[in-house]
Amino acid sequence: MDFLLTGVQPLRPIFWARIRFQATIGIVLAAVLPAIGGILFYGIGTADIGLRNTLIGTSIAIVIGAWLTRNVATYPGSEALASALSSFSLAFGVLLIAFVLGRISYNRTTLLLGYSLTLGWFFLVGALVQRRQQLHIGILPFGDMGQLPKFPHVTWRVLESPEASTAGLDAIAADLRIDLPSEWDRKLADYALANMPVYHVKHLMESLTGMVELEHLSENSFGSLTPRHDYMILKRSIDWLVALAMGVLLFPFLLLVGLLVRLDSPGPALFRQERIGYQGRPFTVYKFRTMKISASNPSAVRDLAITRDRDNRITPIGRFLRKSRIDELPQILNVLKGEMSWIGPRPEASVLSQWYEAEIPFYRYRHVIRPGIAGWAQVCQGHVADVDDVRSKLHYDFYYIKQYSPWIDLLIVVRTIRTIITGFGAR
């Protein structure tokens, strides 16, 4: 998802026109329509005050969220979407606190519906803009430019000298880790004074691709290799509470699925496999069995652990369980035991993990946080197993670890819903 670059003079009128359009339609979709529905359902006399307060508050939150998105979304790509999530979550969160602490009457259902519709609307428009908008970025011919990746919505132009024309460019990218010639230092300052965005090329690539390079370990936003400990503790508490609630609510459904798996093919309902988790510790992961039982073959352990495209071992019901991700639900038990999180890098089988560690530098670093049922690499890339594909997957895992925060977790939740609906990445 991509929001328009901020601070670029030629795009500013277009950007603000889109923001005004989104905010106006957002107020109608997320505030007015739910309020009208509440009045029709409850009646004007019983729900007028609460719905009116919610209507006014939601409208204000949408305007503030749109304004924050405009001013916070510095980089295009993944960070732009994460900033949109954080902006609207903050705006609606402050609104909820104001309602509760001020003891102001409001309608919870209408407020929640308004928040959900607002995010959906802004993301939809952002996706449409990304597909249609063509960004033109100038890049300085110094440092680690590497092979500039090709994006359908980005055109690169190498600036050979400070006198090179910047007409038609939306932003400038430079490797700011090196000492640039003094004339280029002055020129970059001129660009910034002229309100032209100047990006660090490494950070720009990470935001556009949602990946972090593997040439060296990358620090997080706080300059540390260790993820934020405070959020890790908070996330563990939320994981456990959600897993407990989901386990209780879904228990009858899980029993039914287990019975269907047993009837579909010979073998146990649950599949157990040793995988490598937090801090490199092995643990047993639980899933609904989706494959036929294979004969034990010690010489082919690694091959048996890999799921290929159109794998003929997958059972009929197993294919549906994989596509819908229902086969992952028994991992609720792993979350309750503290071995996994709802969101994080997917854990690999021990035999595959040992293989990858021998072939890929820094592979063990992905164990610095708990593995998850859903992950950034999973929603961006899908299921992979070959070493070359796993290298690419690690770029996504490292990006998640570097950006470790509630906002990227919420973004993964949104994309996971899309994945469940479309079946993206299932094998």
Side-chain angles (χ1 to χ4, degrees), residues 152-164:
H153 60 288
V154 177
T155 299
W156 306 98
R157 186 200 303 175
V158 178
L159 303 177
E160 299 294 347
S161 70
E163 290 74 30

Side-chain angles (χ1 to χ4, degrees), residues 80-100:
L81 181 56
S83 66
L85 282 168
S86 61
S87 297
F88 285 105
S89 297
L90 176 62
F92 276 85
V94 171
L95 174 62
L96 179 60
I97 292 174
F99 280 150
V100 174

Side-chain angles (χ1 to χ4, degrees), residues 62-172:
I62 292 173
V63 172
I64 293 176
W67 180 81
L68 288 174
T69 299
R70 164 64 178 84
N71 289 276
V72 174
T74 305
Y75 280 82
S78 301
E79 289 191 26
L81 181 56
S83 66
L85 282 168
S86 61
S87 297
F88 285 105
S89 297
L90 176 62
F92 276 85
V94 171
L95 174 62
L96 179 60
I97 292 174
F99 280 150
V100 174
L101 296 184
R103 296 184 179 181
I104 302 173
S105 176
Y106 72 100
N107 187 287
R108 297 177 185 176
T109 303
T110 304
L111 182 63
L112 178 60
L113 183 60
Y115 171 70
S116 303
L117 290 175
T118 299
L119 287 181
W121 168 246
F122 271 78
F123 291 164
L124 174 62
V125 175
L128 294 176
V129 168
Q130 179 184 9
R131 292 178 181 179
R132 289 172 171 79
Q133 179 198 10
Q134 187 70 26
L135 297 178
H136 301 272
I137 301 178
I139 187 165
L140 272 59
F142 302 101
D144 185 18
M145 289 193 307
Q147 185 67 32
L148 293 176
K150 295 181 180 180
F151 302 103
H153 60 288
V154 177
T155 299
W156 306 98
R157 186 200 303 175
V158 178
L159 303 177
E160 299 294 347
S161 70
E163 290 74 30
S165 173
T166 58
L169 293 181
D170 300 316
I172 305 295

